[in-house]
Amino acid sequence: MIKYSPDADEFLKNFYEGKSATTDLEKIAALQAELGGDFAFHAKGGVSDEMKLTCLEYDILERAGKITLNLS
């Protein structure tokens, strides 16, 4: 399990509880439905469910203003 900040962790906890999502696959599906759009994940050696979940969590947390993603 990845930790972000107390505020962000609480946001995700409430989000997942509201969607009754407990497994990684359920969480991924809930996040994809909430975020909308098409998703493609690429990584040399393959992409795990944990990697997908982390990417989607960053996306929803950034949109909710809980974190600032700086790719510089």
Side-chain angles (χ1 to χ4, degrees):
M1 175 184 222
I2 296 187
K3 298 283 187 184
Y4 297 96
S5 70
D7 189 38
D9 291 340
E10 185 68 20
F11 175 87
L12 289 174
K13 177 182 171 280
N14 293 333
F15 176 80
Y16 293 138
E17 285 178 356
K19 304 291 184 181
S20 299
T22 57
T23 68
D24 283 353
L25 290 177
E26 290 171 340
K27 291 175 181 180
I28 289 167
L31 288 164
Q32 287 179 327
E34 185 73 20
L35 294 168
D38 295 321
F39 299 91
F41 301 94
H42 305 280
K44 194 171 187 173
V47 179
S48 69
D49 288 341
E50 187 176 17
M51 293 166 72
K52 291 177 187 177
L53 183 58
T54 301
C55 290
L56 293 168
E57 285 179 343
Y58 261 86
D59 195 353
I60 200 164
L61 290 171
E62 183 182 26
R63 290 184 191 192
K66 303 297 178 187
I67 61 172
T68 302
L69 183 59
N70 184 346
L71 298 175
S72 62

